[in-house]
Amino acid sequence: MKAIIAFSVIFSSLLYCQIRVPDDYKKIPDILDTTDYLYPFIVPDKDYAYWRVLSNDMDYEKAVIYESQAPDFMTINEPVPERGFFQRCIGNNCFSYILACKNDRSVYFSNEQQLRDFIGTVDNLPEAILLAKTYGYSVDTSTLFTGAYKIEENHILMYLMQSKGCPVVKESFWVKINRKSGKLEARKNGIYARDENCSPL
């Protein structure tokens, strides 16, 4: 058993050394590894009078994650959808969704594809990270090969990570997002860590 653990550590160290991030990539700011801090940077393609991001928390005050500037007279009181995006569990405070107001009507965005549609054109780095998250990629700012980016005229390029399974296997990816279409391409860089205890990230 000790030999297996030692091999895993050595193997991970070798991969760690092999993953190289080009010098023209910058480190993703630490604050952007928290999903809730990405929503204020969304610039929707369509014109909404008002929109808010909520969780399915039973306490309304805790449910509001972010809300855009709204006219004083406007209120939206709609039932919580049964499912949302970034589903973490079943029950209270387990997913998020967007409720928007357009032409005096309420519009829901309650799955990953609808969140991509709401974002539309990728205007900035937080939108790119949020869009990548809808495909299962996330930021780990502890290393450049899981937390670096470069912004080009037509694309945003990032080094991100995915974690899967139990024991948890963490893998580095190079991700390319088309800023106009939102299309995502990804390339594996290799596994860089294993967590035998299955502890959450």
Side-chain angles (χ1 to χ4, degrees):
M1 184 66 178
K2 290 182 179 178
I4 294 172
I5 294 172
F7 176 76
S8 295
V9 170
I10 293 168
F11 183 68
S12 295
S13 298
L14 289 172
L15 282 175
Y16 181 95
C17 295
Q18 290 175 353
I19 302 172
R20 299 292 183 194
V21 177
D23 293 338
D24 57 347
Y25 280 71
K26 298 177 183 177
K27 182 181 183 296
I28 294 175
D30 291 347
I31 196 170
L32 297 184
D33 68 356
T34 303
T35 305
D36 288 356
Y37 297 155
L38 303 174
Y39 298 118
F41 295 94
I42 295 178
V43 182
D45 271 3
K46 296 181 181 177
D47 186 23
Y48 297 99
Y50 171 60
W51 59 277
R52 63 171 59 145
V53 184
L54 304 111
S55 73
N56 66 321
D57 198 305
M58 298 299 289
D59 184 334
Y60 178 78
E61 294 298 322
K62 294 179 181 177
V64 178
I65 298 170
Y66 172 78
E67 54 187 338
S68 68
Q69 187 65 37
D72 293 337
F73 63 84
M74 185 177 295
T75 57
I76 300 178
N77 294 310
E78 295 287 339
V80 176
E82 293 182 8
R83 293 186 63 83
F85 45 82
F86 308 145
Q87 188 92 27
R88 298 179 300 277
C89 54
I90 298 174
N92 188 48
N93 197 22
C94 287
F95 61 79
S96 303
Y97 64 99
I98 292 174
L99 188 56
C101 182
K102 184 174 178 63
N103 299 328
D104 297 323
R105 296 186 62 183
S106 300
V107 184
Y108 279 110
F109 298 86
S110 55
N111 62 42
E112 281 76 6
Q113 182 57 56
Q114 290 174 354
L115 176 56
R116 292 175 210 139
D117 294 341
F118 183 79
I119 292 171
T121 302
V122 181
D123 300 285
N124 52 54
L125 177 61
E127 283 190 344
I129 295 171
L130 203 51
L131 188 141
K133 187 171 175 60
T134 68
Y135 290 99
Y137 301 96
S138 57
V139 174
D140 177 359
T141 57
S142 64
T143 66
L144 280 179
F145 59 78
T146 57
Y149 76 99
K150 180 171 75 169
I151 297 179
E152 299 178 340
E153 184 178 350
N154 297 318
H155 299 91
I156 293 181
L157 314 173
M158 297 179 289
Y159 281 82
L160 301 174
M161 60 89 71
Q162 277 188 345
S163 61
K164 294 179 181 178
C166 181
V168 175
V169 175
K170 299 178 182 178
E171 190 167 11
S172 168
F173 285 82
W174 176 81
V175 172
K176 178 181 180 180
I177 295 176
N178 184 301
R179 299 183 66 176
K180 185 175 182 180
S181 67
K183 182 181 177 183
L184 182 146
E185 301 173 38
R187 182 182 69 220
K188 293 183 179 183
N189 295 321
I191 295 168
Y192 68 94
R194 299 176 190 272
D195 189 342
E196 299 298 327
N197 296 321
C198 299
S199 59
L201 292 175

